Coordinates of all heavy atoms in Angstrom, one line a residue:
M14 N 0.8 -1.2 0.0 CA 0.0 0.0 0.0 C 0.9 1.2 0.0 O 1.9 1.2 0.6 CB -0.9 0.0 1.3 CG -2.0 1.0 1.3 SD -3.1 0.7 -0.1 CE -4.2 2.1 0.0
L15 N 0.4 2.3 -0.6 CA 1.2 3.5 -0.7 C 1.2 4.2 0.6 O 0.2 4.3 1.3 CB 0.6 4.5 -1.8 CG 0.7 4.0 -3.2 CD1 0.1 5.1 -4.1 CD2 2.2 3.9 -3.6
N16 N 2.3 4.7 1.0 CA 2.5 5.5 2.2 C 2.5 7.0 1.9 O 3.3 7.7 2.4 CB 3.8 5.1 3.0 CG 3.7 3.7 3.5 OD1 2.6 3.2 3.8 ND2 4.8 3.1 3.6
T17 N 1.7 7.4 1.0 CA 1.7 8.8 0.6 C 0.3 9.3 0.3 O -0.6 8.6 -0.1 CB 2.5 9.1 -0.7 OG1 2.6 10.4 -1.0 CG2 2.0 8.3 -1.9
D18 N 0.1 10.6 0.6 CA -1.2 11.3 0.3 C -1.0 12.1 -1.0 O -1.9 12.8 -1.4 CB -1.6 12.2 1.4 CG -2.0 11.3 2.6 OD1 -2.5 10.2 2.5 OD2 -1.8 11.8 3.8
D19 N 0.1 12.0 -1.7 CA 0.4 12.8 -2.9 C -0.6 12.4 -3.9 O -0.6 11.3 -4.4 CB 1.8 12.5 -3.3 CG 2.2 13.4 -4.5 OD1 1.4 13.7 -5.4 OD2 3.4 13.7 -4.6
P20 N -1.5 13.3 -4.4 CA -2.5 13.0 -5.3 C -2.0 12.5 -6.7 O -2.5 11.7 -7.4 CB -3.4 14.2 -5.5 CG -2.7 15.3 -4.7 CD -1.6 14.7 -3.9
A21 N -0.8 13.1 -7.1 CA -0.2 12.7 -8.4 C 0.2 11.3 -8.3 O 0.0 10.5 -9.3 CB 0.9 13.6 -8.7
L22 N 0.9 10.9 -7.2 CA 1.3 9.5 -7.1 C 0.1 8.5 -7.0 O 0.2 7.4 -7.5 CB 2.3 9.3 -5.9 CG 3.6 10.0 -6.0 CD1 4.4 9.9 -4.7 CD2 4.4 9.3 -7.2
Q23 N -0.9 8.9 -6.2 CA -2.1 8.1 -6.1 C -2.7 7.8 -7.5 O -3.0 6.7 -7.8 CB -3.1 8.8 -5.2 CG -2.7 8.8 -3.8 CD -2.9 7.5 -3.0 OE1 -3.6 6.6 -3.5 NE2 -2.1 7.3 -2.0
K24 N -2.8 8.9 -8.3 CA -3.3 8.8 -9.6 C -2.4 7.9 -10.5 O -2.9 7.0 -11.3 CB -3.5 10.2 -10.3 CG -4.3 10.2 -11.5 CD -4.7 11.6 -11.9 CE -5.5 11.7 -13.1 NZ -6.9 11.2 -12.9
L25 N -1.1 8.1 -10.4 CA -0.2 7.3 -11.2 C -0.3 5.8 -10.9 O -0.2 5.0 -11.8 CB 1.2 7.8 -11.0 CG 2.3 7.2 -11.9 CD1 2.1 7.4 -13.4 CD2 3.7 7.8 -11.5
F26 N -0.4 5.5 -9.7 CA -0.4 4.1 -9.3 C -1.8 3.4 -9.4 O -1.9 2.2 -9.6 CB 0.1 3.9 -7.9 CG 1.6 4.0 -7.8 CD1 2.2 5.1 -7.2 CD2 2.4 3.0 -8.4 CE1 3.6 5.2 -7.2 CE2 3.8 3.2 -8.3 CZ 4.4 4.2 -7.7
F27 N -2.9 4.2 -9.3 CA -4.2 3.5 -9.3 C -5.1 3.9 -10.4 O -6.2 3.3 -10.5 CB -4.9 3.9 -8.0 CG -4.1 3.3 -6.8 CD1 -3.5 4.1 -5.9 CD2 -4.1 1.9 -6.6 CE1 -2.8 3.6 -4.8 CE2 -3.4 1.4 -5.5 CZ -2.7 2.3 -4.6
D28 N -4.7 4.8 -11.3 CA -5.6 5.2 -12.4 C -4.9 4.7 -13.7 O -4.0 5.2 -14.2 CB -5.7 6.7 -12.5 CG -6.7 7.2 -13.6 OD1 -6.8 6.5 -14.6 OD2 -7.2 8.3 -13.4
N29 N -5.5 3.5 -14.2 CA -4.8 2.9 -15.4 C -4.8 3.8 -16.6 O -3.8 3.8 -17.4 CB -5.6 1.6 -15.8 CG -5.3 0.5 -14.8 OD1 -4.2 0.5 -14.2 ND2 -6.2 -0.4 -14.6
E30 N -5.8 4.6 -16.8 CA -5.8 5.6 -17.9 C -4.6 6.5 -17.8 O -3.9 6.8 -18.8 CB -7.1 6.3 -18.0 CG -7.2 7.2 -19.3 CD -8.6 7.9 -19.4 OE1 -9.6 7.3 -18.9 OE2 -8.6 8.9 -19.9
Y31 N -4.4 7.1 -16.6 CA -3.3 8.0 -16.4 C -1.9 7.3 -16.5 O -1.0 7.8 -17.1 CB -3.4 8.7 -15.0 CG -2.4 9.8 -14.8 CD1 -2.6 11.0 -15.3 CD2 -1.3 9.5 -14.0 CE1 -1.7 12.0 -15.1 CE2 -0.3 10.5 -13.8 CZ -0.6 11.8 -14.4 OH 0.3 12.8 -14.1
L32 N -1.9 6.1 -16.0 CA -0.6 5.3 -16.1 C -0.3 5.0 -17.6 O 0.9 5.2 -18.0 CB -0.7 4.0 -15.3 CG 0.5 3.1 -15.4 CD1 1.7 3.8 -14.8 CD2 0.2 1.8 -14.6
N33 N -1.3 4.7 -18.4 CA -1.0 4.5 -19.8 C -0.6 5.8 -20.5 O 0.3 5.7 -21.3 CB -2.3 3.9 -20.5 CG -2.6 2.5 -20.1 OD1 -1.7 1.8 -19.7 ND2 -3.8 2.1 -20.2
Y34 N -1.2 6.9 -20.1 CA -0.7 8.2 -20.6 C 0.7 8.5 -20.2 O 1.5 8.9 -21.1 CB -1.7 9.3 -20.1 CG -1.2 10.7 -20.4 CD1 -1.4 11.2 -21.7 CD2 -0.7 11.5 -19.4 CE1 -1.0 12.5 -22.0 CE2 -0.3 12.8 -19.7 CZ -0.4 13.3 -21.0 OH 0.0 14.5 -21.3
F35 N 1.0 8.2 -19.0 CA 2.4 8.5 -18.5 C 3.4 7.6 -19.2 O 4.5 8.0 -19.7 CB 2.5 8.2 -17.0 CG 3.9 8.2 -16.5 CD1 4.5 9.4 -16.2 CD2 4.6 7.0 -16.2 CE1 5.8 9.5 -15.7 CE2 5.9 7.1 -15.7 CZ 6.5 8.3 -15.5
R36 N 3.1 6.3 -19.4 CA 4.0 5.4 -20.1 C 4.2 5.8 -21.6 O 5.2 5.6 -22.1 CB 3.4 3.9 -20.1 CG 3.5 3.3 -18.7 CD 5.0 3.1 -18.3 NE 5.0 2.5 -17.0 CZ 5.9 2.8 -16.1 NH1 6.9 3.7 -16.4 NH2 5.9 2.2 -14.9
G37 N 3.1 6.3 -22.2 CA 3.2 6.8 -23.6 C 4.2 8.0 -23.6 O 5.0 8.1 -24.5
L38 N 4.1 8.9 -22.7 CA 5.0 10.1 -22.6 C 6.4 9.6 -22.4 O 7.4 10.1 -23.0 CB 4.6 11.1 -21.5 CG 3.3 11.9 -21.8 CD1 3.1 12.8 -20.6 CD2 3.5 12.8 -23.0
E39 N 6.5 8.7 -21.5 CA 7.9 8.1 -21.1 C 8.5 7.5 -22.4 O 9.7 7.7 -22.7 CB 7.7 7.1 -20.0 CG 9.1 6.5 -19.6 CD 8.9 5.4 -18.6 OE1 8.1 4.5 -18.8 OE2 9.6 5.5 -17.6
S40 N 7.7 6.7 -23.1 CA 8.2 6.1 -24.3 C 8.6 7.1 -25.4 O 9.7 6.9 -26.0 CB 7.1 5.2 -24.9 OG 7.6 4.5 -26.1
Q41 N 7.8 8.1 -25.6 CA 8.2 9.2 -26.5 C 9.5 9.8 -26.1 O 10.4 10.1 -26.9 CB 7.1 10.3 -26.6 CG 6.0 9.9 -27.4 CD 5.0 11.1 -27.5 OE1 4.8 11.8 -26.5 NE2 4.3 11.3 -28.6
F42 N 9.6 10.1 -24.8 CA 10.8 10.8 -24.3 C 12.0 9.9 -24.4 O 13.1 10.4 -24.9 CB 10.5 11.1 -22.8 CG 11.6 11.8 -22.1 CD1 11.8 13.2 -22.3 CD2 12.4 11.2 -21.2 CE1 12.8 13.9 -21.7 CE2 13.4 11.9 -20.5 CZ 13.6 13.2 -20.8
L43 N 11.9 8.6 -24.1 CA 13.1 7.8 -24.1 C 13.5 7.3 -25.5 O 14.6 6.8 -25.7 CB 12.8 6.5 -23.2 CG 12.7 6.8 -21.7 CD1 12.4 5.6 -21.0 CD2 14.0 7.4 -21.2
N44 N 12.6 7.5 -26.5 CA 12.9 7.1 -27.9 C 13.2 8.4 -28.7 O 13.3 8.3 -29.9 CB 11.7 6.3 -28.5 CG 11.7 4.9 -27.9 OD1 12.6 4.2 -28.0 ND2 10.6 4.6 -27.3
D45 N 13.4 9.5 -28.0 CA 13.8 10.7 -28.7 C 15.2 10.6 -29.3 O 16.0 9.8 -28.8 CB 13.7 11.9 -27.7 CG 14.0 13.2 -28.4 OD1 13.1 13.8 -29.1 OD2 15.1 13.7 -28.2
D46 N 15.5 11.3 -30.4 CA 16.8 11.2 -31.0 C 17.9 11.5 -30.0 O 19.0 10.9 -30.0 CB 16.9 12.2 -32.2 CG 16.1 11.6 -33.4 OD1 15.9 10.4 -33.4 OD2 15.8 12.5 -34.3
F47 N 17.7 12.5 -29.1 CA 18.7 12.8 -28.1 C 19.1 11.6 -27.3 O 20.3 11.3 -27.1 CB 18.2 13.9 -27.1 CG 19.2 14.1 -26.0 CD1 20.3 14.9 -26.1 CD2 18.9 13.5 -24.8 CE1 21.1 15.1 -25.0 CE2 19.8 13.7 -23.7 CZ 20.9 14.5 -23.8
F48 N 18.1 10.8 -26.8 CA 18.4 9.6 -26.0 C 18.9 8.5 -26.9 O 19.8 7.7 -26.4 CB 17.2 9.2 -25.2 CG 17.0 10.0 -24.0 CD1 16.1 11.0 -23.9 CD2 17.8 9.7 -22.8 CE1 16.0 11.8 -22.7 CE2 17.6 10.4 -21.7 CZ 16.7 11.5 -21.6
K49 N 18.5 8.4 -28.1 CA 19.0 7.3 -29.0 C 20.5 7.5 -29.2 O 21.3 6.6 -29.1 CB 18.3 7.3 -30.3 CG 16.9 6.7 -30.2 CD 16.2 6.7 -31.6 CE 14.9 6.1 -31.5 NZ 14.2 6.1 -32.8
N50 N 20.9 8.8 -29.3 CA 22.4 9.0 -29.4 C 23.1 8.8 -28.1 O 24.2 8.3 -28.1 CB 22.6 10.5 -29.9 CG 22.2 10.7 -31.3 OD1 22.4 9.8 -32.1 ND2 21.7 11.9 -31.6
F51 N 22.4 9.1 -27.0 CA 23.0 8.8 -25.7 C 23.2 7.3 -25.5 O 24.2 6.8 -25.0 CB 22.1 9.4 -24.6 CG 22.6 9.1 -23.2 CD1 23.6 9.9 -22.7 CD2 22.0 8.1 -22.4 CE1 24.1 9.6 -21.4 CE2 22.5 7.9 -21.1 CZ 23.5 8.6 -20.6
Y52 N 22.2 6.5 -25.9 CA 22.3 5.0 -25.7 C 23.4 4.4 -26.4 O 24.0 3.4 -26.0 CB 21.0 4.3 -26.2 CG 19.7 4.8 -25.5 CD1 18.5 4.9 -26.2 CD2 19.7 5.1 -24.2 CE1 17.4 5.3 -25.6 CE2 18.5 5.6 -23.6 CZ 17.3 5.6 -24.3 OH 16.2 6.0 -23.7
K53 N 23.8 5.0 -27.6 CA 24.9 4.5 -28.4 C 26.2 4.4 -27.6 O 27.1 3.6 -27.9 CB 25.1 5.4 -29.6 CG 24.0 5.2 -30.6 CD 24.3 6.2 -31.8 CE 23.1 6.1 -32.8 NZ 23.3 7.1 -33.9
R54 N 26.3 5.2 -26.5 CA 27.5 5.2 -25.7 C 27.5 4.1 -24.6 O 28.5 3.8 -23.9 CB 27.7 6.5 -25.0 CG 28.0 7.6 -26.0 CD 28.3 8.9 -25.3 NE 27.0 9.6 -25.2 CZ 26.8 10.6 -24.4 NH1 27.7 11.1 -23.5 NH2 25.6 11.2 -24.4
M55 N 26.3 3.4 -24.5 CA 26.2 2.3 -23.5 C 26.8 1.0 -24.1 O 26.9 0.9 -25.3 CB 24.7 2.1 -23.2 CG 24.1 3.3 -22.5 SD 22.3 3.0 -22.1 CE 22.4 1.8 -20.8
A56 N 27.2 0.1 -23.2 CA 27.8 -1.1 -23.7 C 26.8 -1.9 -24.5 O 27.1 -2.6 -25.4 CB 28.3 -2.0 -22.4
V57 N 25.5 -1.9 -24.1 CA 24.4 -2.6 -24.8 C 23.3 -1.5 -25.0 O 22.4 -1.4 -24.2 CB 23.9 -3.8 -24.0 CG1 22.8 -4.5 -24.8 CG2 25.0 -4.7 -23.6
P58 N 23.4 -0.8 -26.1 CA 22.5 0.3 -26.4 C 21.0 -0.1 -26.4 O 20.1 0.7 -26.0 CB 22.9 0.8 -27.8 CG 24.2 0.3 -28.0 CD 24.4 -0.9 -27.2
E59 N 20.7 -1.3 -26.7 CA 19.3 -1.8 -26.8 C 18.6 -1.8 -25.4 O 17.4 -1.7 -25.3 CB 19.2 -3.2 -27.4 CG 19.7 -3.3 -28.8 CD 21.2 -3.4 -28.9 OE1 21.9 -3.8 -27.9 OE2 21.7 -3.0 -29.9
L60 N 19.4 -1.8 -24.3 CA 18.9 -1.8 -23.0 C 18.6 -0.5 -22.4 O 18.0 -0.3 -21.4 CB 19.9 -2.5 -22.0 CG 20.2 -4.0 -22.3 CD1 21.1 -4.6 -21.3 CD2 18.9 -4.8 -22.3
G61 N 19.0 0.6 -23.1 CA 18.9 2.0 -22.7 C 17.4 2.3 -22.2 O 17.2 2.7 -21.1
P62 N 16.4 2.2 -23.1 CA 15.1 2.6 -22.7 C 14.6 1.8 -21.6 O 14.0 2.4 -20.6 CB 14.3 2.3 -24.0 CG 15.2 2.4 -25.1 CD 16.5 1.9 -24.6
G63 N 14.8 0.5 -21.6 CA 14.3 -0.3 -20.4 C 15.0 0.0 -19.1 O 14.4 0.0 -18.1
Y64 N 16.3 0.3 -19.2 CA 17.1 0.7 -18.0 C 16.5 1.9 -17.4 O 16.2 2.0 -16.2 CB 18.5 0.9 -18.4 CG 19.4 1.3 -17.3 CD1 19.9 0.4 -16.3 CD2 19.7 2.7 -17.1 CE1 20.7 0.8 -15.3 CE2 20.5 3.1 -16.1 CZ 21.0 2.2 -15.2 OH 21.8 2.6 -14.1
F65 N 16.3 3.0 -18.2 CA 15.8 4.2 -17.7 C 14.3 4.1 -17.2 O 13.9 4.8 -16.3 CB 16.0 5.4 -18.7 CG 17.5 5.7 -18.8 CD1 18.2 5.4 -19.9 CD2 18.1 6.4 -17.8 CE1 19.5 5.7 -20.1 CE2 19.5 6.7 -17.9 CZ 20.2 6.4 -19.0
S66 N 13.5 3.3 -17.9 CA 12.2 3.1 -17.5 C 12.1 2.4 -16.1 O 11.4 2.8 -15.2 CB 11.4 2.3 -18.5 OG 10.1 2.1 -18.1
A67 N 13.0 1.4 -15.9 CA 13.1 0.7 -14.6 C 13.5 1.7 -13.5 O 13.0 1.6 -12.4 CB 14.0 -0.5 -14.7
M68 N 14.5 2.6 -13.9 CA 14.9 3.5 -12.9 C 13.8 4.5 -12.5 O 13.7 4.8 -11.3 CB 16.1 4.3 -13.4 CG 17.4 3.5 -13.6 SD 18.1 2.9 -12.0 CE 18.8 4.4 -11.3
T69 N 13.0 4.8 -13.4 CA 11.8 5.7 -13.1 C 10.9 5.0 -12.2 O 10.4 5.5 -11.2 CB 11.1 6.1 -14.4 OG1 12.0 6.8 -15.3 CG2 9.9 6.9 -14.1
D70 N 10.6 3.7 -12.5 CA 9.7 2.9 -11.6 C 10.3 2.8 -10.2 O 9.5 2.9 -9.2 CB 9.5 1.5 -12.2 CG 8.6 1.4 -13.4 OD1 7.9 2.4 -13.7 OD2 8.6 0.4 -14.1
I71 N 11.6 2.5 -10.1 CA 12.2 2.4 -8.8 C 12.0 3.8 -8.0 O 11.7 3.8 -6.8 CB 13.6 2.0 -8.9 CG1 13.7 0.5 -9.3 CG2 14.4 2.2 -7.6 CD1 15.1 0.1 -9.7
Y72 N 12.3 4.9 -8.7 CA 12.2 6.2 -8.1 C 10.7 6.4 -7.6 O 10.5 6.9 -6.5 CB 12.6 7.3 -9.0 CG 12.3 8.7 -8.5 CD1 13.1 9.2 -7.5 CD2 11.3 9.4 -9.0 CE1 12.9 10.4 -7.0 CE2 11.0 10.7 -8.5 CZ 11.8 11.2 -7.5 OH 11.5 12.4 -7.0
L73 N 9.8 6.1 -8.5 CA 8.4 6.4 -8.1 C 8.0 5.5 -6.9 O 7.3 6.0 -6.0 CB 7.4 6.1 -9.3 CG 7.5 7.1 -10.4 CD1 6.7 6.6 -11.6 CD2 7.0 8.5 -10.0
R74 N 8.4 4.3 -6.9 CA 8.1 3.4 -5.7 C 8.7 3.9 -4.4 O 8.2 3.9 -3.4 CB 8.5 2.0 -6.0 CG 7.8 1.3 -7.1 CD 6.6 0.6 -6.6 NE 5.8 0.1 -7.8 CZ 4.5 0.0 -7.8 NH1 3.8 0.2 -6.7 NH2 3.9 -0.4 -8.9
W75 N 10.0 4.4 -4.6 CA 10.7 5.0 -3.4 C 9.9 6.2 -2.9 O 9.7 6.3 -1.7 CB 12.1 5.4 -3.9 CG 12.9 6.2 -2.9 CD1 13.5 5.8 -1.8 CD2 13.2 7.6 -3.0 NE1 14.1 6.8 -1.1 CE2 13.9 7.9 -1.8 CE3 12.8 8.6 -3.9 CZ2 14.4 9.2 -1.6 CZ3 13.3 9.9 -3.6 CH2 14.1 10.2 -2.5
R76 N 9.5 7.1 -3.7 CA 8.7 8.2 -3.3 C 7.4 7.8 -2.6 O 7.0 8.4 -1.6 CB 8.4 9.2 -4.5 CG 9.5 10.1 -4.8 CD 9.0 11.3 -5.5 NE 8.0 12.0 -4.7 CZ 7.1 12.9 -5.2 NH1 7.1 13.1 -6.5 NH2 6.3 13.5 -4.5
A77 N 6.8 6.8 -3.2 CA 5.4 6.5 -2.7 C 5.4 5.6 -1.5 O 4.7 5.8 -0.6 CB 4.6 5.8 -3.8
E78 N 6.2 4.5 -1.5 CA 6.1 3.5 -0.5 C 7.2 3.6 0.6 O 6.9 3.2 1.7 CB 6.2 2.1 -1.2 CG 5.0 1.9 -2.1 CD 5.1 0.5 -2.8 OE1 6.1 -0.2 -2.6 OE2 4.3 0.3 -3.7
E79 N 8.4 3.9 0.2 CA 9.5 3.9 1.1 C 9.6 5.1 2.0 O 10.3 5.1 3.0 CB 10.8 3.7 0.3 CG 11.8 2.8 1.0 CD 12.9 3.6 1.7 OE1 13.0 4.8 1.5 OE2 13.6 3.0 2.5
G80 N 8.8 6.1 1.6 CA 8.8 7.4 2.4 C 10.1 8.1 2.4 O 10.4 8.9 3.3
K81 N 11.0 7.8 1.4 CA 12.3 8.5 1.3 C 13.2 8.3 2.5 O 14.0 9.1 2.8 CB 12.1 10.0 1.0 CG 11.4 10.2 -0.3 CD 11.3 11.7 -0.6 CE 9.9 12.2 -0.8 NZ 9.8 13.6 -1.0
K82 N 13.1 7.1 3.1 CA 14.0 6.8 4.3 C 15.4 6.7 3.8 O 16.3 6.9 4.6 CB 13.5 5.6 5.0 CG 12.1 5.8 5.7 CD 11.7 4.4 6.3 CE 10.2 4.5 6.6 NZ 9.6 3.2 6.7
T83 N 15.6 6.2 2.6 CA 16.9 5.9 2.1 C 17.3 7.2 1.3 O 16.5 7.6 0.5 CB 16.9 4.7 1.2 OG1 16.5 3.6 1.9 CG2 18.3 4.4 0.6
D84 N 18.5 7.7 1.4 CA 18.9 8.9 0.6 C 19.0 8.5 -0.9 O 19.2 7.3 -1.2 CB 20.2 9.5 1.1 CG 21.4 8.6 0.8 OD1 21.7 7.7 1.7 OD2 22.0 8.7 -0.2
L85 N 18.8 9.4 -1.7 CA 18.6 9.2 -3.2 C 19.9 8.6 -3.8 O 19.8 7.8 -4.7 CB 18.2 10.5 -3.9 CG 17.7 10.4 -5.3 CD1 16.6 9.3 -5.4 CD2 17.3 11.7 -5.8
D86 N 21.1 9.0 -3.3 CA 22.3 8.5 -3.9 C 22.4 7.0 -3.6 O 22.8 6.2 -4.4 CB 23.5 9.2 -3.3 CG 23.7 10.6 -3.9 OD1 23.2 10.9 -5.0 OD2 24.3 11.5 -3.2
T87 N 22.1 6.6 -2.4 CA 22.1 5.2 -2.0 C 21.1 4.4 -2.8 O 21.4 3.3 -3.4 CB 21.9 5.0 -0.5 OG1 22.9 5.7 0.2 CG2 21.9 3.5 -0.1
L88 N 19.9 4.9 -3.0 CA 18.9 4.3 -3.8 C 19.4 4.1 -5.2 O 19.2 3.0 -5.8 CB 17.6 5.1 -3.8 CG 16.5 4.6 -4.7 CD1 15.8 3.4 -4.1 CD2 15.5 5.7 -5.0
A89 N 19.9 5.1 -5.8 CA 20.4 5.1 -7.2 C 21.5 4.0 -7.3 O 21.5 3.2 -8.3 CB 20.9 6.4 -7.7
G90 N 22.4 3.9 -6.4 CA 23.4 2.9 -6.4 C 22.9 1.5 -6.3 O 23.3 0.6 -7.0
Q91 N 21.9 1.3 -5.4 CA 21.3 0.0 -5.2 C 20.5 -0.4 -6.4 O 20.5 -1.6 -6.9 CB 20.5 0.0 -3.9 CG 21.3 0.1 -2.7 CD 20.4 0.2 -1.4 OE1 19.2 0.4 -1.5 NE2 21.0 0.0 -0.3
A92 N 19.8 0.6 -7.0 CA 19.0 0.3 -8.2 C 19.9 -0.1 -9.4 O 19.6 -1.0 -10.1 CB 18.1 1.5 -8.5
A93 N 20.9 0.7 -9.6 CA 21.8 0.4 -10.7 C 22.5 -1.0 -10.5 O 22.5 -1.8 -11.5 CB 22.9 1.4 -10.7
D94 N 22.9 -1.3 -9.3 CA 23.5 -2.7 -9.0 C 22.4 -3.8 -9.3 O 22.8 -4.8 -9.9 CB 23.9 -2.7 -7.6 CG 24.6 -4.0 -7.3 OD1 25.6 -4.4 -8.0 OD2 24.3 -4.7 -6.3
L95 N 21.2 -3.6 -8.9 CA 20.2 -4.6 -9.1 C 19.9 -4.7 -10.6 O 19.8 -5.8 -11.1 CB 18.9 -4.1 -8.4 CG 17.7 -5.0 -8.6 CD1 17.9 -6.4 -8.1 CD2 16.5 -4.4 -7.9
L96 N 19.8 -3.6 -11.3 CA 19.5 -3.7 -12.7 C 20.7 -4.3 -13.5 O 20.5 -5.0 -14.5 CB 19.2 -2.3 -13.3 CG 17.9 -1.7 -12.8 CD1 17.8 -0.2 -13.2 CD2 16.7 -2.5 -13.5
L97 N 21.9 -4.0 -13.1 CA 23.0 -4.5 -13.9 C 23.5 -5.9 -13.5 O 24.0 -6.6 -14.3 CB 24.2 -3.5 -13.7 CG 24.0 -2.1 -14.3 CD1 25.2 -1.2 -13.9 CD2 23.9 -2.1 -15.8
N98 N 23.3 -6.2 -12.2 CA 23.8 -7.5 -11.7 C 22.7 -8.5 -11.3 O 23.0 -9.7 -11.0 CB 24.7 -7.3 -10.6 CG 25.9 -6.4 -11.0 OD1 26.5 -6.6 -12.0 ND2 26.2 -5.4 -10.2
G99 N 21.5 -8.1 -11.3 CA 20.4 -9.0 -10.9 C 20.4 -9.2 -9.4 O 21.1 -8.6 -8.6
L100 N 19.7 -10.2 -9.0 CA 19.6 -10.5 -7.5 C 20.7 -11.4 -7.0 O 20.9 -11.5 -5.8 CB 18.2 -11.3 -7.2 CG 17.0 -10.4 -7.5 CD1 15.7 -11.3 -7.3 CD2 16.9 -9.3 -6.5
G101 N 21.4 -12.1 -7.9 CA 22.4 -13.0 -7.5 C 23.7 -12.3 -7.2 O 24.5 -12.5 -6.4

């Protein structure tokens, strides 16, 4: 359950129409030429959009559920390690 009264987060997590709208914007943003050129510098460029989408999801969940108990730098490091190395 969400630990937030933030109406934007409530809408994002519980209103499927809004979530679909958000995902569409995210997809447009992450598939923009600027980001396509950025992904080319990654070891596996095809993972770029998925990586950044997953980071967005982790950030939103952190804001909504975790109550920001963990500082953002630690969260980013843990998220990157999880995304790059998996659970093992």
Side-chain angles (χ1 to χ4, degrees):
M14 190 66 186
L15 291 179
N16 293 329
T17 182
D18 292 327
D19 184 328
L22 289 175
Q23 291 285 336
K24 190 165 184 70
L25 183 60
F26 284 109
F27 296 112
D28 183 332
N29 285 333
E30 186 176 332
Y31 187 80
L32 179 59
N33 289 336
Y34 172 74
F35 173 80
R36 289 293 180 216
L38 288 178
E39 180 185 52
S40 179
Q41 281 181 326
F42 183 74
L43 293 175
N44 288 301
D45 183 77
D46 286 340
F47 171 82
F48 278 100
K49 285 182 181 178
N50 289 327
F51 179 78
Y52 302 145
K53 289 178 186 176
R54 294 183 268 161
M55 297 178 71
V57 184
E59 299 80 26
L60 297 181
Y64 176 81
F65 288 106
S66 181
M68 292 295 285
T69 300
D70 287 346
I71 289 168
Y72 172 74
L73 289 172
R74 296 268 174 209
W75 170 74
R76 277 206 54 204
E78 295 177 5
E79 215 260 350
K81 298 186 236 177
K82 295 175 194 161
T83 305
D84 68 272
L85 192 54
D86 287 337
T87 300
L88 174 76
Q91 290 175 347
D94 185 50
L95 177 62
L96 290 168
L97 295 173
N98 301 313
L100 293 174

